[in-house]
Amino acid sequence: MKAYFKRFISQLLVLALIVATVQIGNTKGVKAVDLDLGFTVEAGGSIVDINKSGSNYFTDEIDMSVSTINIKSSDTSYYNIESVTSSDSGVKIATSTTNGVTSAKIAVSKYNDFNATIKVKDLGTKEVKSYTVRFRFKEENAEIFKFNKIVINASGHGENVNLDLDYSANTDEYNLANLDETLDTVKVSIVDENGKPITTGVKITMDGKTGTFKLSGGDNEINISRTVNGRTKIFKLVISKKGSATLKSLTGVTLSPTFKSDEFDYTATVPTATTSITLRPTATDNSSTIRVNGSIVNSGSNSQPIKLKEGKNTITVRVTTKDGQSNVYSIEVTRTEAPRSSYLKSLKLSTGSLMPSFNKEIFEYTGTVDNKVTAVTVTPTAEYATSTIKVNGKSVANGGTTRFISLDQGSNEIEVVVTDAKGDSSTYTLNITRRYGKDNVRLGSLKTSEGTLSPKFDPETYLYTVKVDRATSKIKVTFAAQNDKATIKIDGKEYASAQQSDYIDLKIGANLINIEVVAEDKKTTTSYKLSVIRDKISAINEWVLSGDDWTFYDANGMQVKNSWVIYDNKWYFINVSGYKESNGWLYESGNWYYLDKDGVMQTGWIKDNGYWYYFQGDGKMKGTGWGQYDKQWYMFNENGMMQTGWMLRDGYWYFLQDNGSMKKGWQYYDKNWYYLNDDGTMRNGWLFTGKEFYYLDYHGRMITGWQEIAGKWYYFDYNGRMKTGNLFLDGKWYLLDSDGSLVR
């Protein structure tokens, strides 16, 4: 316990020293002792200082006479070395542990700068920290490794080229770019200032091999190792050769023809069970980029699985060299299609029979059942078990029977969809007629030999108008009852269902034709009426005064009822009685509208009984929620009234000005300042305007004076601005940090 207390006191002293150093403006680099990294570096019997720049750590330069670097805990009472590792070549690290204390020894055989990662454990907090340190050697010692030139003899296709690179004391890496693609091999040497090859202590390798090197497209890395007086330094030579946009191999599927680098089109066939394949492309050059169907694949690695549909699938493999040349290999993979069919083998009803008899290539059928049959089942069987079946949208097992399907009186459509394994489908339609009851008196159809019914025929609509030309002096009526055993009487003459009446003479103007339907029970009756208007009426697209009110006749001369009409580019509403509505509110089809004294539909802002409302371009009143008009946002309640003042919406407070527009920025209200964000929401907490900091409490009010926030005290002047630095207040001086917090 004493050791940790002593350590705590020492750390406080170090902290005080650092603070004092900052205060007097000392700008020197921070060293290992100041950093308290928990370890020291020793070389040649001396401590090597560690420096820090940003997040990077590096040693002072180490003399090349050193063969061993030792790393130890700076204080074994407080720290322990966990590990020391390096991935750089020529760096060998050995660790040892004595009495529970670990140290590391780095054997230096190559004098290139290197990185080592040192992990240190704090014995008090048990925390393990990791530091990557750059170990640097003195450049003046490098003169012993100096040479004059790197000589490169390149050859290929009967051509020899000699190239050289001058020695530079500022780098260990050399680059030769854009070597022609026809040059396949190189031999590398280093020479002195007399041009004489240096061979003693020199080893030149590429991929661990010596001698003449075979080049591939892209970067080829050659290491030049030179050992002088037992010390070694490695120079790196990178020769970049122009690439060949080809593959060396392509596997993963059997190709036809057999793969060749300069052959670009292939086919392959796989069985139905093979739903995906992977390809393994290997580039001729190590720097080429490979994309399989647009996705990058590393050379010599498998692509992602490529899904195959049945039939033909085209796969592309694009090879692009470092200098932008590219070729595309195309593989057309055929996945064998499984036998399939979207036909039914049979189709049966639980009641009744189909007309015509079932045939898999006939897709429309009819059937009739008695009125007492309120539901039927359907049993469809597909040609192949791999097909799926849906009846009225619900899945049915192949050869299975549906649940009962309810039948209304009259026509009922049942749809059977068969889909094969490929997704192709066939639809069989069954039109099942359930007979109507004996008391049914509705018509199933109604039309005239001339003109068109208005409105369109509906069994439950009993009044119609038909307009014909003056030249039409007579007309026939065609009809059919829903119950085919009902009888029809037209102007007193009886007809059977699904017949046509005799000619009916027409006078100029309106002609009323009465159609009476007598049910099968001979008791129940109902009537349909046709008003046949022969010749034109005087009003077309015009207002007509009828008594004290206005009516409107459309382009067909028909009086408009219960509908909107447009006249002179203005909208009006005609009520169910055929008269124009005006002067006030109108509720129509679930929406509110507003009409002026002349009946013209209004748009835009309207004030009514002291409240503002907004009517959109189609005349509909804007309902509950936000609306943006003329680039301003407004809020409306459930009655469409524009809101003002404070408004809570979806958990956020907004302020709506007297004109209803949503406020942004500062707002003075009830002796307090508030701030509204750009989206109108009331601000809480800290606010930075670009120049000043402010603080707004939970209610959104701007704070002035002293305020405790998150355990710290801040002072805000009468304008709400946070103060920093020295503050003289009420006869006392206060020091406020750069973040505004009171320094205790």
PDB file of all heavy atoms in Angstrom, residues 546-558:
ATOM      1  N   SER A 546     -84.591  28.219 -61.848  1.00  0.00           N
ATOM      2  CA  SER A 546     -85.799  27.435 -61.599  1.00  0.00           C
ATOM      3  C   SER A 546     -86.402  27.919 -60.287  1.00  0.00           C
ATOM      4  O   SER A 546     -85.892  27.619 -59.199  1.00  0.00           O
ATOM      5  CB  SER A 546     -85.464  25.936 -61.518  1.00  0.00           C
ATOM      6  OG  SER A 546     -86.616  25.186 -61.185  1.00  0.00           O
ATOM      7  N   GLY A 547     -87.478  28.694 -60.394  1.00  0.00           N
ATOM      8  CA  GLY A 547     -88.045  29.303 -59.197  1.00  0.00           C
ATOM      9  C   GLY A 547     -87.076  30.323 -58.639  1.00  0.00           C
ATOM     10  O   GLY A 547     -86.660  31.255 -59.334  1.00  0.00           O
ATOM     11  N   ASP A 548     -86.698  30.134 -57.397  1.00  0.00           N
ATOM     12  CA  ASP A 548     -85.763  31.072 -56.766  1.00  0.00           C
ATOM     13  C   ASP A 548     -84.317  30.578 -56.784  1.00  0.00           C
ATOM     14  O   ASP A 548     -83.434  31.258 -56.280  1.00  0.00           O
ATOM     15  CB  ASP A 548     -86.181  31.310 -55.300  1.00  0.00           C
ATOM     16  CG  ASP A 548     -87.522  32.027 -55.202  1.00  0.00           C
ATOM     17  OD1 ASP A 548     -87.847  32.782 -56.128  1.00  0.00           O
ATOM     18  OD2 ASP A 548     -88.225  31.793 -54.202  1.00  0.00           O
ATOM     19  N   ASP A 549     -84.057  29.376 -57.341  1.00  0.00           N
ATOM     20  CA  ASP A 549     -82.717  28.799 -57.314  1.00  0.00           C
ATOM     21  C   ASP A 549     -82.194  28.504 -58.715  1.00  0.00           C
ATOM     22  O   ASP A 549     -82.978  28.361 -59.672  1.00  0.00           O
ATOM     23  CB  ASP A 549     -82.711  27.510 -56.492  1.00  0.00           C
ATOM     24  CG  ASP A 549     -82.964  27.762 -55.018  1.00  0.00           C
ATOM     25  OD1 ASP A 549     -82.320  28.677 -54.469  1.00  0.00           O
ATOM     26  OD2 ASP A 549     -83.803  27.049 -54.435  1.00  0.00           O
ATOM     27  N   TRP A 550     -80.838  28.372 -58.779  1.00  0.00           N
ATOM     28  CA  TRP A 550     -80.196  28.086 -60.052  1.00  0.00           C
ATOM     29  C   TRP A 550     -79.950  26.581 -60.187  1.00  0.00           C
ATOM     30  O   TRP A 550     -79.529  25.920 -59.258  1.00  0.00           O
ATOM     31  CB  TRP A 550     -78.856  28.822 -60.159  1.00  0.00           C
ATOM     32  CG  TRP A 550     -79.011  30.298 -60.369  1.00  0.00           C
ATOM     33  CD1 TRP A 550     -78.990  31.259 -59.421  1.00  0.00           C
ATOM     34  CD2 TRP A 550     -79.223  30.939 -61.620  1.00  0.00           C
ATOM     35  NE1 TRP A 550     -79.182  32.507 -59.970  1.00  0.00           N
ATOM     36  CE2 TRP A 550     -79.321  32.333 -61.354  1.00  0.00           C
ATOM     37  CE3 TRP A 550     -79.355  30.503 -62.937  1.00  0.00           C
ATOM     38  CZ2 TRP A 550     -79.536  33.271 -62.344  1.00  0.00           C
ATOM     39  CZ3 TRP A 550     -79.562  31.445 -63.922  1.00  0.00           C
ATOM     40  CH2 TRP A 550     -79.649  32.814 -63.641  1.00  0.00           C
ATOM     41  N   THR A 551     -80.222  26.073 -61.406  1.00  0.00           N
ATOM     42  CA  THR A 551     -79.877  24.701 -61.760  1.00  0.00           C
ATOM     43  C   THR A 551     -78.891  24.748 -62.918  1.00  0.00           C
ATOM     44  O   THR A 551     -78.711  25.798 -63.546  1.00  0.00           O
ATOM     45  CB  THR A 551     -81.104  23.886 -62.152  1.00  0.00           C
ATOM     46  OG1 THR A 551     -81.718  24.505 -63.309  1.00  0.00           O
ATOM     47  CG2 THR A 551     -82.117  23.834 -61.017  1.00  0.00           C
ATOM     48  N   PHE A 552     -78.244  23.573 -63.205  1.00  0.00           N
ATOM     49  CA  PHE A 552     -77.238  23.563 -64.266  1.00  0.00           C
ATOM     50  C   PHE A 552     -77.450  22.339 -65.140  1.00  0.00           C
ATOM     51  O   PHE A 552     -77.654  21.238 -64.648  1.00  0.00           O
ATOM     52  CB  PHE A 552     -75.823  23.523 -63.656  1.00  0.00           C
ATOM     53  CG  PHE A 552     -74.727  23.755 -64.662  1.00  0.00           C
ATOM     54  CD1 PHE A 552     -74.342  25.037 -65.008  1.00  0.00           C
ATOM     55  CD2 PHE A 552     -74.098  22.680 -65.278  1.00  0.00           C
ATOM     56  CE1 PHE A 552     -73.324  25.252 -65.941  1.00  0.00           C
ATOM     57  CE2 PHE A 552     -73.095  22.894 -66.203  1.00  0.00           C
ATOM     58  CZ  PHE A 552     -72.713  24.181 -66.542  1.00  0.00           C
ATOM     59  N   TYR A 553     -77.368  22.586 -66.464  1.00  0.00           N
ATOM     60  CA  TYR A 553     -77.488  21.497 -67.443  1.00  0.00           C
ATOM     61  C   TYR A 553     -76.139  21.301 -68.114  1.00  0.00           C
ATOM     62  O   TYR A 553     -75.495  22.254 -68.523  1.00  0.00           O
ATOM     63  CB  TYR A 553     -78.571  21.826 -68.481  1.00  0.00           C
ATOM     64  CG  TYR A 553     -79.960  21.703 -67.913  1.00  0.00           C
ATOM     65  CD1 TYR A 553     -80.499  22.743 -67.161  1.00  0.00           C
ATOM     66  CD2 TYR A 553     -80.705  20.558 -68.107  1.00  0.00           C
ATOM     67  CE1 TYR A 553     -81.773  22.639 -66.615  1.00  0.00           C
ATOM     68  CE2 TYR A 553     -81.977  20.445 -67.568  1.00  0.00           C
ATOM     69  CZ  TYR A 553     -82.511  21.481 -66.814  1.00  0.00           C
ATOM     70  OH  TYR A 553     -83.758  21.366 -66.270  1.00  0.00           O
ATOM     71  N   ASP A 554     -75.721  20.012 -68.217  1.00  0.00           N
ATOM     72  CA  ASP A 554     -74.374  19.725 -68.736  1.00  0.00           C
ATOM     73  C   ASP A 554     -74.351  19.723 -70.253  1.00  0.00           C
ATOM     74  O   ASP A 554     -75.339  20.111 -70.903  1.00  0.00           O
ATOM     75  CB  ASP A 554     -73.855  18.398 -68.172  1.00  0.00           C
ATOM     76  CG  ASP A 554     -74.708  17.212 -68.577  1.00  0.00           C
ATOM     77  OD1 ASP A 554     -75.502  17.335 -69.536  1.00  0.00           O
ATOM     78  OD2 ASP A 554     -74.581  16.145 -67.929  1.00  0.00           O
ATOM     79  N   ALA A 555     -73.227  19.255 -70.817  1.00  0.00           N
ATOM     80  CA  ALA A 555     -73.053  19.274 -72.272  1.00  0.00           C
ATOM     81  C   ALA A 555     -74.054  18.387 -72.997  1.00  0.00           C
ATOM     82  O   ALA A 555     -74.291  18.559 -74.197  1.00  0.00           O
ATOM     83  CB  ALA A 555     -71.629  18.854 -72.622  1.00  0.00           C
ATOM     84  N   ASN A 556     -74.630  17.417 -72.276  1.00  0.00           N
ATOM     85  CA  ASN A 556     -75.639  16.546 -72.880  1.00  0.00           C
ATOM     86  C   ASN A 556     -77.055  17.039 -72.629  1.00  0.00           C
ATOM     87  O   ASN A 556     -78.032  16.353 -72.926  1.00  0.00           O
ATOM     88  CB  ASN A 556     -75.497  15.137 -72.305  1.00  0.00           C
ATOM     89  CG  ASN A 556     -74.164  14.516 -72.651  1.00  0.00           C
ATOM     90  OD1 ASN A 556     -73.707  14.615 -73.791  1.00  0.00           O
ATOM     91  ND2 ASN A 556     -73.516  13.915 -71.653  1.00  0.00           N
ATOM     92  N   GLY A 557     -77.141  18.237 -72.048  1.00  0.00           N
ATOM     93  CA  GLY A 557     -78.468  18.771 -71.765  1.00  0.00           C
ATOM     94  C   GLY A 557     -79.112  18.155 -70.543  1.00  0.00           C
ATOM     95  O   GLY A 557     -80.312  18.337 -70.322  1.00  0.00           O
ATOM     96  N   MET A 558     -78.328  17.428 -69.737  1.00  0.00           N
ATOM     97  CA  MET A 558     -78.863  16.780 -68.551  1.00  0.00           C
ATOM     98  C   MET A 558     -78.685  17.681 -67.340  1.00  0.00           C
ATOM     99  O   MET A 558     -77.637  18.307 -67.170  1.00  0.00           O
ATOM    100  CB  MET A 558     -78.161  15.447 -68.308  1.00  0.00           C
ATOM    101  CG  MET A 558     -78.317  14.440 -69.437  1.00  0.00           C
ATOM    102  SD  MET A 558     -80.031  14.013 -69.732  1.00  0.00           S
ATOM    103  CE  MET A 558     -80.461  13.296 -68.164  1.00  0.00           C
TER     104      MET A 558
END
